[in-house]
Amino acid sequence: MPACPSDSIYCWNMARDAVHAAMAGNTETIIGRFVHVPMQLATRGRRQVDPSGDLWSSVIESTGQPRIFA
């Protein structure tokens, strides 16, 4: 699915923020929408998405992906 204009702008902003963080010396961070999250904090636990749950269903509906990949 091609990116819509708002996706392109969002990705551009995330990339810009990543460059600003790196230039400020924050090299071990993940760039979020409003905050920079330290990598160790973001990766300390693993979360799983239930493929039959509401969260995954909403992802499938909003992205237009098929429910089952061949």
Side-chain angles (χ1 to χ4, degrees):
M1 173 177 230
C4 65
S6 63
D7 287 341
S8 297
I9 292 169
Y10 180 70
C11 290
W12 171 258
N13 287 330
M14 296 288 276
R16 185 195 63 221
D17 290 347
V19 170
H20 283 279
M23 297 299 284
N26 299 326
T27 56
E28 294 186 10
T29 60
I30 295 174
I31 306 305
R33 186 165 181 157
F34 300 109
V35 297
H36 298 174
V37 179
M39 284 283 233
Q40 290 179 341
L41 177 62
T43 60
R44 72 177 174 193
R46 185 174 184 154
R47 297 182 65 188
Q48 296 184 356
V49 176
D50 179 10
S52 62
D54 291 338
L55 175 62
W56 187 244
S57 292
S58 68
V59 169
I60 295 298
E61 290 172 9
S62 65
T63 60
Q65 298 180 58
R67 289 206 175 267
I68 299 175
F69 293 100

